[in-house]
Amino acid sequence: RKEVEQDPGPFNVPEGATVAFNCTYSNSASQSFFWYRQDCRKEPKLLMSVYSSGNEDGRFTAQLNRASQYISLLIRDSKLSDSATYLCVVVGANDYKLSFGAGTTVTVRA
Amino acid sequence: DTAVSQTPKYLVTQMGNDKSIKCEQNLGHDTMYWYKQDSKKFLKIMFSYNNKELIINETVPNRFSPKSPDKAHLNLHINSLELGDSAVYFCASSQGSGVQETQYFGPGTRLLVL
């Protein structure tokens, strides 16, 4: 089983729609969780950290479910500029190593 | 004033050659990393250095050798290049090596081995 698994998508949504997707992780002792965003042929950039209590940053909401070992990202009121690949990142329990998922591609259409 | 820079941006070379990729960060960070992103888009960590000392060394062929002359630079030298080395290589840095550190990535080096 891969350390971090994501639905690759693509999720094709119209502008203004809400889109949500999950990421599962295999190591129950993982300590930290992030969502990174990667535009086509560009480097990954931090979108947001994921906290146990869930957190929001504008139109983006991240949740962590430790019991079921998944994190989620919800994007409200999608914009064309939200089109990207969203990478789930899990930090190892002992080695602080970041493990990346293969990404979920979101395409927002006009 | 790019925070994390890599050179070259593109590298096309023949099998068997030796090549180097350079990385520099001007953020004053203590920790630097090399990642490989293959055709399936998986980003996998290869190495991590903290204050010029190796702290993460994944199962990477020993043809790959990182070198950190100072904490602002982490270069990657690859000997005897193979077809399977074709990928995008990203350098990254973070303030420290803790669990909540944000990593800042360079623009990537697209390596194609023919």
Side-chain angles (χ1 to χ4, degrees):
Chain A
R1 186 183 168 187
K2 292 194 176 80
E3 289 183 59
V4 181
E5 295 204 60
Q6 293 183 247
D7 180 345
F11 288 79
N12 293 308
V13 299
E15 270 188 292
T18 296
V19 59
F21 41 88
N22 294 340
C23 158
T24 58
Y25 59 95
S26 60
N27 186 347
S28 59
S30 298
Q31 296 200 52
S32 302
F33 309 87
F34 304 89
W35 285 103
Y36 276 70
R37 170 193 169 130
Q38 186 172 24
D39 292 309
C40 187
R41 300 183 68 78
K42 298 280 191 182
E43 71 273 20
K45 291 185 180 175
L46 178 68
L47 178 67
M48 58 197 301
S49 302
V50 186
Y51 302 123
S52 297
S53 53
N55 48 299
E56 265 188 40
D57 183 359
R59 299 179 293 107
F60 297 83
T61 301
Q63 298 276 0
L64 167 63
N65 185 317
R66 282 195 184 271
S68 301
Q69 293 181 211
Y70 74 87
I71 67 171
S72 63
L73 182 67
L74 182 145
I75 308 173
R76 279 188 304 279
D77 189 22
S78 301
K79 311 287 184 199
L80 294 176
S81 57
D82 295 335
S83 297
T85 297
Y86 292 86
L87 304 172
C88 170
V89 180
V90 176
V91 181
N94 300 314
D95 55 14
Y96 300 168
K97 183 183 69 174
L98 269 65
S99 293
F100 284 77
T104 297
T105 299
V106 173
T107 303
V108 182
R109 61 183 190 273
Chain B
D1 54 341
T2 308
V4 183
S5 57
Q6 294 178 229
T7 53
K9 202 166 179 182
Y10 298 96
L11 185 53
V12 181
T13 188
Q14 301 280 348
M15 272 176 58
N17 283 350
D18 302 338
K19 291 292 177 187
S20 291
I21 308 172
K22 295 187 175 181
C23 178
E24 177 181 0
Q25 53 94 4
N26 62 7
L27 297 165
H29 287 170
D30 288 338
T31 309
M32 294 185 72
Y33 312 80
W34 276 110
Y35 287 87
K36 178 180 179 181
Q37 188 170 40
D38 59 26
S39 56
K40 293 188 177 142
K41 306 298 183 190
F42 270 107
L43 258 169
K44 288 193 173 172
I45 190 159
M46 301 172 71
F47 303 101
S48 174
Y49 271 71
N50 188 56
N51 268 321
K52 302 196 303 174
E53 285 196 27
L54 183 66
I55 55 172
I56 293 176
N57 184 354
E58 286 300 287
T59 312
V60 176
N62 57 15
R63 297 182 295 103
F64 291 78
S65 52
K67 285 197 170 44
S68 183
D70 55 62
K71 74 174 193 177
H73 295 85
L74 181 61
N75 303 324
L76 184 64
H77 188 76
I78 315 169
N79 287 329
S80 302
L81 277 155
E82 299 178 358
L83 294 177
D85 297 333
S86 297
V88 182
Y89 292 83
F90 286 101
C91 175
S93 73
S94 60
Q95 182 63 58
S97 54
V99 293
Q100 284 294 345
E101 300 289 346
T102 299
Q103 295 197 6
Y104 296 84
F105 285 79
T109 295
R110 282 149 186 83
L111 171 65
L112 178 59
V113 182
L114 302 174

